[in-house]
Amino acid sequence: MLLPISALADGAGAGAGAGVWQGTEQVQLRLISSTTHYDGGGQVKAGLEVKLADGWKIYWRSPGDAGLPPLLEFAGGVRHEMRFPAPTRFTLFGFETFGYSDAVIFPLRIDASSGGDLALVAAFSGLVCSDVCIPVDEMLTLRLDGGDSAPSPHAFGIAKAEALVPSIGTSNGYRITRAELRGAHLEVAIAARDDTPFIMRQGDVLVESAVQGLGFARPNFLGDVGRIAIIGDRGGENLAELVGTSAVITILHPEFMLEENVVIGRGEFAPAPNRTISGALVSILLVAFLGGLILNVMPCVLPVLSLKLTVILGQDRADLARIRRSFLLSATGIVLSFLTLGVGLLGLRQGGVAIGWGIQFQNAYFLGFMALVMLGFALMMLDVVRVPIPGLAGWQFKGGHTAWHDLASGFMATLLATPCSAPFVGTAIAFAFTAPSALMLAVFLAMALGLASPWLLVAAFPQSARLLPRGGAWVIWLRRGLALGLVATAVWLLLVLGAVVGGGRDASGGWQKWQPQLATRLADEGKIVLVDVTADWCLTCKANQLFVFESAAIKQLFEAEKVVLLRADWTRPDATILQYLTQFNRYGIPFTAVYNGGDAPLILPELLTEDTLTEAITILRRKP
């Protein structure tokens, strides 16, 4: 349970580990320390203690619709971090504001490098309000004699205040699953520790956005969704700017506190920025089509080449109508499988389940089934087995070639395409996964038509099949070679199955295991950090690793720039990795980001090259 803020401050006067009280009859302030002495350790854990008269309030770091946050500046350019415990929502003069009453301690982390005694001087500025607001400007001091440090009388109060600062560490396993703009409301949903949708019912949701001119009202909880009215918009322009931007969302609940930086998605009826809805729709559908088209040349889809070629090799090329029907059915298989996948993912999303591109390859049963199917097709191509097809399933063309074979080749193309996120695919999927239901299916249909376009092209010009050499002994050997390709695909699927069942793999070869917030912490220490989200089932990820990360030039670059390498293995389901991806509006892999200091990371393309990676690290190289 959350402790009341008023319980944090004690009534001790100046003494060991405390400065002198300063202020007015409305507010009293002083600096306090967790230790009685300064041992020269570098960082001092301290606090800004504030006592307020009855009816007076001081603001949070984001005051809300009105007010000013408290600021502290240390003399001599001493660096510090001021942390803010969970605030309370107040209504002042009709405005929604956030802050504290009675008493509060703001935890401080002060960088000190002096030897011997430590003397700190800080200028405080802020605003305290009751029926009126008054500015407060005070000079605060704190002196710690040099010597062995010991806990001061204020250590416990500072520790309690630290525990009330919302973070991932105080989330108790809960997490934000989506934040979407729907009309003039922001909808925020969270999941419980067992990944089921959490019905909040009580508490508060605070939103901090960089978009100017917007306010966020107290949430109404409808099932597992907190619905927040947005106020202060001008004609929809500010609302439109919200989509795709980052916002800090703080969840305050009696059982937990959670703070995350999330990307706001587009829900139903969300306005489009600076363009008409029809124009935005055409643009995203074109992106989705190009993404599907590019999937044809990705390593994920190459095993289906064997199925494509057998369609032609199994036909009499004199019968153009038969070739046209065959390829149309294959294209139909691609479209139907994409729509089936879209409907399935839509159902999961409606059920509150976090979704991602290629997540079926994290399922052991799916991998086992696909391996058997690939092996079965290989054996049939080698004429080792013949599968009798009774009744309706025997729907076939004249000459014995079944239509179901063509449909199956389309389904295989789709299923093997989903582990990879090719150029344009990531953009289309990010839009689809946050779009209304009908638009999500439209994006999947556009991707399907992109992937099916080569099939449709052959169907439109079936005479192109005549360009292949006439049949002969070479066809038998080609079928054997393609069958071996399918066997290799089945072996790969079984290896992935082993990784999924066995728990994946640990980072090695200079790579560290990724953990939430680790990249940010290391970057804040002045390091260049590269994060690679990968999986055993992602062939594009493997290509990036083999041809880029493992190249001699890139390894030399990593060593010269002292790049910290973090690898997140998404072979098995991992909610924290999916949550990390969705922060950047990404739902598929490969995903590569380069961090440097407190700036936002640089997100690299799905397909990496040595030049792209070298340029990114050069751009983000920390200046001396």
Side-chain angles (χ1 to χ4, degrees):
M1 299 292 290
L2 297 181
L3 297 173
I5 293 294
S6 59
L8 294 178
D10 59 38
V20 178
W21 286 106
Q22 303 287 349
T24 65
E25 59 179 305
Q26 293 85 14
V27 59
Q28 290 285 304
L29 313 100
R30 68 174 178 178
L31 296 176
I32 57 177
S33 170
S34 291
T35 60
T36 57
H37 294 77
Y38 175 61
D39 61 4
Q43 189 175 81
V44 176
K45 289 187 177 181
L48 168 62
E49 185 175 8
V50 180
K51 287 185 178 181
L52 295 149
D54 290 343
W56 289 85
K57 303 171 180 64
I58 193 168
Y59 290 101
W60 187 45
R61 66 174 184 231
S62 182
D65 298 338
L68 292 172
L71 297 176
L72 204 60
E73 292 187 10
F74 282 86
V78 174
R79 295 180 58 185
H80 74 285
E81 178 187 4
M82 184 172 176
R83 297 164 64 79
F84 292 80
T88 300
R89 183 189 293 263
F90 300 108
T91 301
L92 293 175
F93 318 119
F95 296 106
E96 295 286 321
T97 59
F98 310 104
Y100 315 90
S101 60
D102 299 329
V104 62
I105 294 175
F106 298 100
L108 300 172
R109 296 176 181 177
I110 304 171
D111 293 337
S113 57
S114 63
D117 299 341
L118 178 65
L120 298 172
V121 179
F124 173 87
S125 62
L127 199 66
V128 294
C129 295
S130 180
D131 296 331
V132 296
C133 290
I134 60 172
V136 179
D137 294 285
E138 296 290 345
M139 193 66 67
L140 307 178
T141 60
L142 175 65
R143 177 181 176 84
L144 296 177
D145 293 335
D148 295 335
S149 64
S152 76
H154 313 286
F156 184 58
I158 294 173
K160 286 194 295 184
E162 280 276 8
L164 290 179
V165 176
S167 67
I168 294 296
T170 60
S171 67
N172 205 18
Y174 294 83
R175 59 187 178 83
I176 298 174
T177 55
R178 65 182 176 90
E180 293 181 344
L181 180 64
R182 292 178 179 265
H185 291 79
L186 179 67
E187 292 191 354
V188 178
I190 62 176
R193 285 165 288 188
D194 58 358
D195 287 335
T196 59
F198 178 71
I199 300 177
M200 191 163 172
R201 293 194 180 93
Q202 57 181 318
D204 206 348
V205 179
L206 314 182
V207 181
E208 298 173 82
S209 170
V211 178
Q212 300 297 315
L214 297 181
F216 299 87
R218 186 185 299 270
N220 291 317
F221 296 110
L222 306 173
D224 64 326
V225 173
R227 201 160 188 261
I228 304 167
I230 303 174
I231 55 179
D233 179 48
R234 300 186 302 273
E237 295 179 2
N238 300 58
L239 282 176
E241 293 177 11
L242 273 177
V243 177
T245 64
S246 295
V248 177
I249 296 182
T250 305
I251 309 289
L252 303 179
H253 190 270
E255 296 180 1
F256 65 92
M257 297 180 297
L258 170 62
E259 187 169 283
E260 292 187 38
N261 194 327
V262 301
V263 175
I264 296 177
R266 184 189 304 279
E268 295 176 352
F269 312 119
N274 303 322
R275 51 183 170 177
T276 64
I277 294 178
S278 59
L281 179 59
V282 170
S283 298
I284 196 63
L285 293 182
L286 178 60
V287 168
F289 179 86
L290 291 174
L293 179 63
I294 293 175
L295 281 175
N296 282 281
V297 296
M298 298 298 290
C300 312
V301 186
L302 290 179
V304 188
L305 176 63
S306 56
L307 297 178
K308 294 182 179 181
L309 289 177
T310 54
V311 172
I312 298 178
L313 297 177
Q315 301 293 318
D316 180 358
R317 279 171 284 156
D319 190 344
L320 299 183
R322 187 183 306 168
I323 293 176
R324 177 177 287 113
R325 287 195 302 266
S326 176
F327 275 82
L328 282 175
L329 281 168
S330 296
T332 302
I334 291 175
V335 172
L336 290 177
S337 55
F338 253 98
L339 291 179
T340 301
L341 180 62
V343 170
L345 290 172
L346 181 61
L348 291 175
R349 189 182 74 174
Q350 294 296 102
V353 178
I355 57 177
W357 182 245
I359 58 175
Q360 70 270 25
F361 277 78
Q362 298 173 339
N363 185 285
Y365 297 104
F366 173 82
L367 291 169
F369 171 76
M370 287 292 295
L372 290 176
V373 169
M374 286 293 170
L375 185 59
F377 270 104
L379 294 177
M380 284 188 286
M381 289 181 65
L382 294 172
D383 294 326
V384 175
V385 298
R386 294 181 179 273
V387 180
I389 307 177
L392 180 63
W395 172 37
Q396 59 184 10
F397 296 128
K398 180 179 178 181
H401 182 71
T402 64
W404 299 109
H405 180 279
D406 300 311
L407 284 172
S409 64
F411 273 93
M412 290 300 104
T414 298
L415 291 176
L416 289 176
T418 52
C420 293
S421 178
F424 299 109
V425 171
T427 302
I429 290 299
F431 183 90
F433 282 5
T434 58
S437 302
L439 188 51
M440 177 177 174
L441 294 180
V443 171
F444 270 77
L445 177 60
M447 289 182 62
L449 292 175
L451 183 61
S453 55
W455 301 76
L456 294 173
L457 190 62
V458 175
F461 302 99
Q463 59 269 26
S464 61
R466 293 174 176 171
L467 298 177
L468 289 174
R470 292 191 172 275
W474 71 273
V475 174
I476 298 176
W477 287 104
L478 179 61
R479 286 172 62 90
R480 290 174 180 174
L482 296 176
L484 289 177
L486 290 176
V487 171
T489 304
V491 172
W492 166 67
L493 289 168
L494 291 174
L495 291 174
V496 175
L497 174 61
V500 170
V501 174
R505 51 193 169 82
D506 294 329
S508 60
W511 292 82
Q512 302 178 36
K513 185 176 181 180
W514 173 89
Q515 297 176 12
Q517 307 302 321
L518 178 58
T520 302
R521 291 200 302 269
L522 292 171
D524 287 342
E525 295 174 4
K527 300 180 175 67
I528 297 178
V529 183
L530 184 143
V531 174
D532 174 42
V533 183
T534 184
D536 287 341
W537 40 262
C538 174
L539 293 180
T540 310
C541 302
K542 297 294 185 183
N544 286 343
Q545 181 177 344
L546 179 63
F547 298 112
V548 180
F549 295 137
E550 296 298 324
S551 71
I554 293 300
K555 283 186 174 181
Q556 184 177 2
L557 176 67
F558 287 161
E559 184 176 355
E561 298 295 339
K562 296 181 173 55
V563 179
V564 179
L565 305 176
L566 303 181
R567 178 160 285 159
D569 186 4
W570 204 32
T571 300
R572 304 181 74 193
D574 190 317
T576 59
I577 294 178
L578 181 56
Q579 178 184 347
Y580 174 71
L581 291 173
T582 56
Q583 289 179 4
F584 303 101
N585 213 24
R586 294 292 186 90
Y587 296 85
I589 55 175
F591 175 83
T592 309
V594 184
Y595 290 73
N596 181 35
D599 299 330
L602 181 62
I603 309 303
L604 303 186
E606 288 89 349
L607 284 173
L608 293 178
T609 64
E610 291 186 13
D611 291 341
T612 300
L613 186 54
T614 301
E615 181 180 2
I617 293 177
T618 301
I619 291 174
L620 293 181
R621 181 186 293 119
R622 183 168 293 278
K623 302 297 182 181

